[in-house]
Amino acid sequence: MEIKVNFLDKLRLEAKFDDFTVVADQPIRYKGDGSAPGPFDYFLASSALCAAYFVKLYCNTRNIPTENIRLSQNNIVDPENRYQQIFKIQVELPADISDKDRQGILRSIERCTVKKVVQAGPEFVIEEVDNLDADAQALLTLNPSQDASTYIAGKDLPLEQTIANMSAVLAGLGMKIEIASWRNIVPNVWSLHIRDAHSPMCFTNGKGSTKESALASALGEFIERLNCNHFYGGAYWGEEIANAPFVHYPNERWFKPGRKDALPVEILDDYCREIYDPDGELRGSHLVDTNSGNAERGICSLPFTRHSDGAVVYFPSNLIENLYVSNGMSAGNTLAEAQVQCLSEIFERAVKREILEGEMALPDVPQDVLAKYPGILAGIQGLEEQGFPVLVKDASLGGVYPVMCVTLMNPRTGGVFASFGAHPSLEVALERSLTELLQGRSFEGLNDLPRPTFASNAVTEPNNFVEHFIDSSGVVSWRFFSAKSDYQFVEWDFSGQGENSNAQEAATLLGILEGMGKEVYTAVYDQLGATACRILVPGYSEVYPVEDLVWDNTNKSLLFRADILNLHRLDDAALADLLERLENNELDDYGDIATLIGIEFDENTVWGQLTVLELRLLIQLALKQYEDAQELVEAFLQYNDNTLERGLFYQALNAVLEIVLDDDMALADYEHNFRRMFGNERMDAVLGSVDGTVRFYGLTPTSMQLEGLDRHQRLLDSYKKLHAARASRAAAG
């Protein structure tokens, strides 16, 4: 994690990281003002807080109340050497906690990350750089030997060279990539989380059977998401980018809608139009680019090559963002390698959907087949030894598709997790199923899995597939666990041979889709110095329903974005108009405003936690629509999960509105005790919100220029690096 420090007045310091700011000072005896803890005090507190976190985690997973558990830490300093210290952590537990859980709580503290890092002894590297922001040296801690050559199935270059090449590409773009965490909780299953130190919203997770393969996986995913602009999907890119010669890619084209908002004839082809617009309801305005919001410019469209005949077909960027999310995109050492990964993912998601929504029962993989892969078997046995039964299934549907499934059951909670993996090699598909299962997860994380159900509607409803797509945490049918399978086990193999194995495998996978009557469209992206591609299979690889283009399009943000960002500048008429749009566009009251308008607010601010309901409420207050406002205040207090501070503000507001709306009560009779209960500062905000002297309490003013939105600006900084690289490459020809 990158922590940037600013020097404040006197001895005060300010550390900034993610969306947080921490201020440190020194005691008066050390010439400070004593206005904040010192740096070493924060260090001491971190280990106590970390210990308490693991206690809380242990108790939460076992429904043990923590109200009467107390924890303290003291540091005992050696009089001969003040750097030699003993940290004594003591825990006071209630009498009704069992001996087993007492020991479990103590063992949980042993897992404290701060404690383990201190005991291992971190290494400090101190160096001077010309410019902190310009220093693009990767922060990767894993530096494989350049002399080693570790080949794995599916990669056209050794892992060591793959990692070196991808790290160089990211450094060349000016991105500091840091490893936020590693996990290896069972044998031969590694995962890690990497992110851009400057823009931590840009992150990926990697998985593999070794550290090196997991790192290569994470870096590859990071590069694929840069190339396909996935990190920035749904976000507003600002007026500068919106009016630049290109917004997404130099080869994009913009087409104007026809008469009566008809779809431009230049976009899509007849095959796609039948899929995306079966009822003739799709209009040009539905396809305006969300990122630029530049409706006057037309419909931003990206070129894809149709596999059947090599023709170029233009797909609106809005359509891709709405329906496909990250499905079907990959980076690779070669184009063929990337294509195999893309197509494998497409089959994995589509076959998973067919199995789960069809409530199919899959055949078990025989033990003699599993025995051929001892590394995978060791990982499965590691889970079994921790008390998690594991089912290994053939998901190829009779040898038709290159898909496997590993399903974990949690007897402690009754939850299950069906993890799928795909690749032309059965071994690789099986390994991916297992590593996907534990990607970024601890054993405690396996306690949050949903329970199976016989209710078919819960399994087949569209959002369940979305949950499975995001992190495989959707609901699974009990019918999936039947011993009577719908297919026979097949020990399939779609893998290629020799130096051109990836090209052979890509041809094989494309052949399966061709046999299904599917058209395939491919875009290749290599402007950033690495090869990546995106593959669309209309009518097969969509994540969201096609109807979303008409009924739940992300570009509905264009109805609200400018007015919400200019909220403090709107007069009453404009506010009333905004309120009407918020009420009449079938929005989720508890949906967040950040997602609605595509702005990365600091989630620790009121803007970052603002919902549609709360915004409507604040507008009604500004318009003095007290009865409507009170109704929403009550809904906020009943259902909204917000901060304690925000809850107290609305509790006080609710009481004041009760009085204001009751002709028999006078606010002056209650104000004194309201102030004693809620404090003067909060009551001033409440009374000001009612009489109009305070508008939109807690929301700092902003505008379409995005001033003060540091988190969003960091995201834009990241995208502008890609935009500049693409512009430079295009200019060079």
Side-chain angles (χ1 to χ4, degrees):
M1 178 172 66
E2 183 177 51
I3 302 172
K4 290 191 173 180
V5 178
N6 297 318
F7 295 90
L8 306 180
D9 60 296
K10 299 185 180 178
L11 296 182
R12 294 171 70 245
L13 305 168
E14 177 186 75
K16 286 182 169 289
F17 52 94
D18 293 346
D19 294 326
F20 301 100
T21 299
V22 173
V23 175
D25 198 355
Q26 290 292 333
I28 293 174
R29 65 181 180 275
Y30 295 144
K31 309 302 182 184
D33 290 334
S35 62
F40 189 66
D41 299 326
Y42 281 115
F43 167 68
L44 294 175
S46 69
S47 60
L49 290 169
C50 186
Y53 162 74
F54 279 95
V55 171
K56 184 74 171 177
L57 199 63
Y58 180 93
C59 292
N60 282 353
T61 58
R62 291 160 179 81
N63 296 315
I64 300 173
T66 55
E67 287 80 1
N68 296 317
I69 295 178
R70 299 200 301 164
L71 182 146
S72 73
Q73 173 185 292
N74 287 281
N75 61 309
I76 303 169
V77 183
D78 187 328
E80 302 295 332
N81 181 359
R82 65 191 179 101
Y83 301 118
Q84 185 72 44
Q85 301 191 16
I86 297 172
F87 288 14
K88 178 178 283 189
I89 297 175
Q90 297 177 312
V91 188
E92 180 183 310
L93 301 174
D96 59 353
I97 291 182
S98 69
D99 289 341
K100 178 181 177 182
D101 283 327
R102 287 172 183 274
Q103 292 303 312
I105 288 171
L106 294 178
R107 283 196 301 271
S108 73
I109 295 175
E110 290 291 337
R111 299 175 53 210
C112 168
T113 308
V114 176
K115 166 185 166 296
K116 287 182 174 291
V117 170
V118 171
Q119 288 177 324
E123 178 182 349
F124 286 82
V125 177
I126 301 171
E127 62 184 10
E128 178 190 0
V129 296
D130 292 334
N131 186 314
L132 284 176
D133 294 323
D135 174 31
Q137 178 63 43
L139 304 177
L140 303 177
T141 58
L142 183 62
N143 296 301
S145 169
Q146 297 302 304
D147 298 328
S149 294
T150 307
Y151 282 90
I152 62 171
K155 292 293 181 187
D156 286 327
L157 289 177
L159 283 176
E160 295 79 10
Q161 188 62 49
T162 300
I163 292 169
N165 291 348
M166 291 189 291
S167 298
V169 167
L170 293 168
L173 289 170
M175 293 190 174
K176 287 185 179 180
I177 303 302
E178 61 182 11
I179 296 177
S181 65
W182 281 100
R183 289 194 185 277
N184 173 223
I185 60 177
V186 298
N188 307 316
V189 178
W190 288 83
S191 70
L192 76 160
H193 178 89
I194 67 172
R195 61 187 187 180
D196 180 351
H198 180 65
S199 178
M201 301 80 77
C202 302
F203 67 86
T204 57
N205 298 300
K207 60 185 184 293
S209 59
T210 65
K211 296 190 296 293
E212 291 80 9
S213 60
L215 178 57
S217 166
L219 291 170
E221 188 172 282
F222 202 96
I223 287 175
E224 92 186 19
R225 296 188 174 202
L226 289 178
N227 274 280
C228 297
N229 292 342
H230 178 70
F231 287 138
Y232 320 98
Y236 176 48
W237 294 351
E239 295 177 349
E240 178 186 348
I241 296 293
N243 295 297
F246 68 90
V247 172
H248 292 261
Y249 302 98
N251 62 354
E252 70 191 25
R253 292 182 65 187
W254 294 72
F255 302 110
K256 296 278 191 180
R259 291 180 62 250
K260 297 183 179 180
D261 201 20
L263 299 181
V265 296
E266 299 92 343
I267 65 170
L268 305 174
D269 56 18
D270 292 341
Y271 177 86
C272 292
R273 287 184 182 237
E274 288 185 13
I275 293 170
Y276 300 134
D277 190 24
D279 301 318
E281 296 178 308
L282 190 62
R283 316 312 300 162
S285 55
H286 291 133
L287 300 176
V288 172
D289 180 61
T290 306
N291 306 116
S292 69
N294 198 337
E296 293 182 3
R297 197 168 177 177
I299 297 171
C300 182
S301 303
L302 311 178
F304 281 72
T305 301
R306 189 167 58 206
H307 178 68
S308 61
D309 60 2
V312 174
V313 178
Y314 282 89
F315 284 74
S317 60
N318 169 282
L319 181 148
I320 298 169
E321 176 194 319
N322 270 280
L323 301 184
Y324 294 95
V325 203
S326 65
N327 197 21
M329 55 191 205
S330 184
N333 292 297
T334 63
L335 178 57
E337 181 184 311
Q339 287 175 319
V340 170
Q341 177 63 18
C342 275
L343 293 165
S344 296
E345 283 190 355
I346 287 170
F347 280 117
E348 173 194 322
R349 275 77 182 254
V351 173
K352 176 199 292 190
R353 184 174 202 155
E354 184 177 350
I355 291 168
L356 295 176
E357 292 185 354
E359 300 181 87
M360 299 178 185
L362 302 177
D364 292 320
V365 177
Q367 282 299 314
D368 63 320
V369 174
L370 280 179
K372 298 178 182 179
Y373 315 116
I376 295 172
L377 199 56
I380 292 170
Q381 290 170 344
L383 285 169
E384 296 266 4
E385 290 167 2
Q386 291 293 327
F388 298 104
V390 175
L391 308 176
V392 184
K393 302 281 189 178
D394 169 22
S396 69
L397 303 187
V400 177
Y401 305 105
V403 186
M404 297 296 287
C405 176
V406 174
T407 301
L408 175 143
M409 298 187 288
N410 188 343
R412 300 186 187 95
T413 63
V416 300
F417 184 175
S419 174
F420 289 74
H423 189 269
S425 161
L426 186 149
E427 179 182 7
V428 175
L430 185 55
E431 178 188 294
R432 288 181 176 177
S433 299
L434 179 61
T435 54
E436 172 71 23
L437 179 71
L438 294 176
Q439 181 171 271
R441 287 182 173 86
S442 62
F443 287 130
E444 288 82 6
L446 298 174
N447 289 322
D448 297 327
L449 306 178
R451 297 170 181 174
T453 180
F454 278 115
S456 297
N457 61 331
V459 177
T460 58
E461 68 100 7
N463 194 58
N464 188 48
F465 174 68
V466 175
E467 293 297 322
H468 276 288
F469 173 80
I470 293 171
D471 62 4
S472 299
S473 64
V475 178
V476 177
S477 172
W478 269 123
R479 294 177 177 86
F480 178 81
F481 296 93
S482 172
K484 184 179 179 181
S485 61
D486 293 302
Y487 293 89
Q488 294 294 315
F489 169 75
V490 176
E491 192 173 359
W492 50 267
D493 183 13
F494 296 91
S495 58
Q497 302 295 323
E499 292 184 3
N500 297 317
S501 60
N502 272 316
Q504 297 167 30
E505 291 168 359
T508 298
L509 298 180
L510 287 166
I512 295 174
L513 290 168
E514 183 178 354
M516 297 167 63
K518 303 295 183 183
E519 280 281 12
V520 177
Y521 303 80
T522 302
V524 178
Y525 301 116
D526 56 9
Q527 305 98 332
L528 302 181
T531 301
C533 68
R534 178 157 208 162
I535 295 178
L536 309 179
V537 186
Y540 191 68
S541 65
E542 292 86 0
V543 174
Y544 286 95
V546 168
E547 301 82 58
D548 280 6
L549 291 173
V550 175
W551 302 110
D552 193 23
N553 196 301
T554 58
N555 75 4
K556 63 178 177 282
S557 63
L558 307 186
L559 294 172
F560 308 104
R561 181 184 288 156
D563 280 346
I564 291 176
L565 287 174
N566 288 306
L567 188 66
H568 293 79
R569 299 173 180 83
L570 301 184
D571 59 22
D572 284 357
L575 283 175
D577 182 62
L578 173 58
L579 180 61
E580 183 178 3
R581 276 177 275 138
L582 288 168
E583 293 174 339
N584 295 332
N585 275 278
E586 299 183 351
L587 302 177
D588 177 5
D589 270 348
Y590 298 97
D592 60 273
I593 292 297
T595 300
L596 176 64
I597 65 173
I599 298 294
E600 283 283 347
F601 294 110
D602 180 345
E603 62 186 16
N604 302 301
T605 64
V606 177
W607 272 116
Q609 299 182 18
L610 186 68
T611 61
V612 171
L613 182 149
E614 187 179 2
L615 179 58
R616 287 172 53 205
L617 188 168
L618 291 172
I619 295 174
Q620 288 168 347
L621 279 177
L623 296 174
K624 294 185 166 31
Q625 298 176 4
Y626 297 137
E627 290 187 6
D628 293 335
Q630 188 189 27
E631 183 178 334
L632 293 186
V633 169
E634 291 174 349
F636 180 96
L637 291 172
Q638 185 171 2
Y639 299 111
N640 207 307
D641 182 19
N642 209 296
T643 62
L644 175 63
E645 168 59 34
R646 206 66 179 163
L648 288 171
F649 169 77
Y650 283 114
Q651 183 184 344
L653 178 62
N654 194 41
V656 169
L657 288 175
E658 286 277 4
I659 296 170
V660 169
L661 292 170
D662 191 322
D663 294 336
D664 296 329
M665 289 192 289
L667 186 57
D669 295 336
Y670 294 86
E671 183 175 344
H672 174 69
N673 282 324
F674 280 173
R675 289 186 177 278
R676 295 183 68 189
M677 169 69 83
F678 297 108
N680 286 327
E681 182 178 349
R682 187 176 293 116
M683 282 308 302
D684 287 343
V686 168
L687 297 175
S689 297
V690 173
D691 67 25
T693 57
V694 174
R695 288 162 64 89
F696 313 114
Y697 173 64
L699 298 178
T700 54
T702 184
S703 74
M704 289 288 283
Q705 302 306 312
L706 308 173
E707 68 272 16
L709 301 178
D710 178 66
R711 181 179 172 89
H712 193 82
Q713 291 290 354
R714 282 183 279 146
L715 184 69
L716 294 187
D717 288 346
S718 176
Y719 181 66
K720 287 176 181 177
K721 293 172 184 175
L722 311 186
H723 198 271
R726 288 169 179 150
S728 176
R729 178 73 176 266

